[in-house]
Structure formats: C-alpha cells, structure tokens
Amino acid sequence: MNRRVNNIKPILEVIAVDAVDAQAAEQGGADRIELVSAMSEGGLTPSYGQIEQVVSKVSIPVYVMIRPHSRSFCYSADDLQAMIQDIRVARELGAAGIVIGALTDEGEVDRSFLQTCLLSAQGMRVTFHRAIDSSAHVVRALESIGSVNGGNEGEGRFEYEREMRTKSESVSESKNRSSSENNSKDKSECESNSKSKSASVSKSEESVVERVLTSGGKPTAPEGLLELQQLQEIGQTLNISIMAGSGVTIEGISTIVSRTGITEIHMGSGVRHGWSFDHSVDTQLVAQAKAALIRVVQELR
C-alpha cells in the first residue's frame, strides 16, 4: 500500500570516508554527508584531519560518526570520555552534526549515555544510528529516545550537571590554594575544562535527537518495510525523523518511500563505483538516487 507524504523534503544522505567521497556526493545532489572511517568495521569515528578537510571542501552539512570501536554498542566510562572529546572536536572543526548511539547490556537505549552526549553536543544536530537495530525492541527503543528528547526521563542529565557543578566548586577552591600543590592543580585544570564546556550550555542550546537511522531492526531496509512504516508513524508523534538505511539501492528507493512514507534515505555502497566500499562515491549514481527519491516523493504528495 502506498503511503501519502505531506510536503516533506526528500533528503539523501551519503556515507563518505574522505573529501573525495564528500565532494562527489555533493556534486551528485546529496543533501548531507555522514563522515566515517573503517567501513569494514561498520563505521567508526574519522580522524580530526579528515573531519577538518571534508568540512572545508563541501557546503552541505557534515555529520560525524562518533563511535570509538566496533566491539558492541555498549560503552565504558572511558569510552564515553573519549566520545565527549570527539564530539567537542567535531563541533570546533565545523561539523553540523554527530551520529551516535548506545545500548545497555540488556539491549535497551542507554539513556544516561545519550543524555550526556546531547549535553556535550551543545546545539549540534544529532542522529541516533543503527544501534537501534541491535536493540531488544526497536519500537521501545524509539520511544525511549523520544523520552530523552522530551526530558521525561532526564535524571541522568541532571546528575551529570550536578557533578559538573561540584567539580567546578572544587576547581575554584583549588585555584585559591598554593600553586605548589601540583597534583591538585593538574586535577583542577582538567575539571575546569570539563565544567566550562557544560556550564555554558543554555537549555535552548542543548541538542536533541532529530532523527533515527534504521533498517527497522532487520538486516536491510528492504527487509524491514513493515517495521519502518511503524517507526515512521511513531516518529511523527515524537517529532523524530526516520531515515531508512542499509541495503538501499537506487531501484529500491521507490518501494521504501511508497510503502513507509519515509523521505530520508541513507546510502553507502549503493552509490559507489562497483557498488563497493573498496571504491569511491560515484557522482552519477548519487544523481540517479536523488532523482529517484524526488520523483517518488512528488508522486505521493
């Protein structure tokens, strides 16, 4: 059954691993870049140099993958600190957004992790990635993300802010002590840096998850059409866009959009030379994908 869409702009996001990919995607009409490294591992955080180069060479938004390893979507405290630093650098280098996601050992959305990353993003746009497809229940996971956006379950964020305030007070006391207390001074500087970043964020500057990238909990989006349709309907009530990704081909765009009502499409190997991440993005394939997306959206309006 065809799904009607209401004046929603068709958006094509293309995976890039370097500036060559990003420029080819932009020339083909892509609306957004997801910048990653190590696609053989499912996509990890790119280097700071790659972020800076890509952002400087394209005019469309660049969203940076924030994922320190591919072992799982469960992260330690050390992982979280590394990711916060990566978010900070991506923001300073001009990235428009970040792509994040984390689960608990039980397969639920890690709300505390998500809240902390949203606070660190300081107004950047945020996509929750396909960690949702590894969750125990994709609908429950989407609703959990929505609850974090709405602040209904914001306990973790408030705890984080209280911790930062406590650290700030400690920093102030330390700065008044003798400069000869080297260990205390070093610790204070570290804490001061962390506090200064979080305290400067007003409520209006805090980020929310604006979209979820998903294949409906299935290996590929074409296999998850029923689930994607359900997620799209729920996403509309939560004010969260659903973007279909994984296994998307140019020929399959029409079916995905018409069956689910989703108008944001995420493509990787489907717009590359040889349809493989061993090769670069093909501008002509991107143009064909964008044309197919525009055409089906117009037909359904």
Side-chain angles (χ1 to χ4, degrees):
M1 183 178 84
N2 287 349
R3 308 288 298 176
R4 184 177 178 83
V5 298
N6 298 314
N7 299 319
I8 299 176
K9 181 182 177 181
I11 298 292
L12 177 64
E13 179 178 274
V14 173
I15 298 172
V17 299
D18 55 25
V20 172
D21 278 350
Q23 289 175 301
E26 182 176 42
Q27 291 166 9
D31 300 285
R32 186 170 56 235
I33 298 295
E34 182 191 64
L35 181 61
V36 306
S37 66
M39 277 308 300
S40 61
E41 299 294 318
L44 301 179
T45 305
S47 72
Y48 298 163
Q50 285 285 20
I51 297 171
E52 183 175 33
Q53 189 173 68
V54 169
V55 168
S56 70
K57 291 191 175 183
V58 297
S59 59
I60 58 178
V62 176
Y63 282 39
V64 175
M65 173 66 75
I66 305 295
R67 187 180 178 217
H69 60 72
S70 60
R71 294 190 297 276
S72 73
F73 294 115
C74 301
Y75 300 111
S76 67
D78 286 343
D79 289 333
L80 178 57
Q81 289 305 309
M83 295 165 83
I84 289 172
Q85 173 71 357
D86 288 338
I87 292 170
R88 181 187 67 79
V89 173
R91 184 179 66 250
E92 291 176 352
L93 292 176
I98 55 172
V99 184
I100 61 174
L103 304 175
T104 66
D105 291 334
E106 294 72 34
E108 305 295 334
V109 170
D110 189 333
R111 290 193 293 266
S112 177
F113 163 92
L114 184 55
Q115 289 161 345
T116 301
C117 287
L118 290 176
L119 186 63
S120 301
Q122 296 187 16
M124 296 178 78
R125 297 176 178 179
V126 179
T127 297
F128 192 98
H129 60 51
R130 291 189 62 225
I132 193 172
D133 295 319
S134 297
S135 67
H137 193 282
V138 290
V139 169
R140 188 165 65 235
L142 178 59
E143 292 172 341
S144 184
I145 293 168
S147 73
V148 173
N149 277 355
N152 295 329
E153 298 180 55
E155 194 172 272
R157 175 173 292 179
F158 298 143
E159 290 176 353
Y160 180 81
E161 290 174 340
R162 283 198 298 270
E163 179 185 354
M164 291 299 101
R165 284 196 296 269
T166 299
K167 288 182 176 181
S168 178
E169 292 169 1
S170 175
V171 171
S172 297
E173 293 174 1
S174 295
K175 286 185 175 179
N176 291 330
R177 292 173 188 160
S178 170
S179 61
S180 63
E181 298 178 4
N182 293 327
N183 290 338
S184 178
K185 181 180 178 182
D186 291 342
K187 180 180 179 181
S188 297
E189 290 175 350
C190 177
E191 291 171 341
S192 179
N193 288 337
S194 178
K195 172 63 175 78
S196 64
K197 294 298 181 184
S198 61
S200 61
V201 185
S202 69
K203 294 297 282 186
S204 63
E205 291 175 323
E206 289 180 6
S207 294
V208 296
V209 176
E210 63 178 10
R211 77 177 44 77
V212 172
L213 169 62
T214 177
S215 56
K218 303 296 184 180
T220 67
E223 296 174 82
L225 292 178
L226 290 176
E227 292 80 5
L228 286 169
Q229 176 186 330
Q230 184 180 15
L231 292 173
Q232 169 71 354
E233 292 171 352
I234 295 170
Q236 289 178 328
T237 68
L238 297 173
N239 199 29
I240 296 175
S241 298
I242 303 298
M243 178 166 56
S246 181
V248 178
T249 63
I250 295 171
E251 296 75 18
I253 289 174
S254 178
T255 298
I256 292 173
V257 175
S258 62
R259 291 279 299 277
T260 68
I262 292 171
T263 60
E264 292 199 29
I265 298 295
H266 173 89
M267 297 189 73
S269 60
V271 289
R272 287 178 174 269
H273 293 282
W275 298 277
S276 168
F277 278 102
D278 291 335
H279 306 289
S280 61
V281 169
D282 185 327
T283 297
Q284 291 186 346
L285 291 179
V286 174
Q288 291 173 23
K290 183 62 181 294
L293 178 57
I294 292 173
R295 183 165 55 251
V296 66
V297 170
Q298 290 176 337
E299 289 172 354
L300 294 176
R301 281 177 175 164

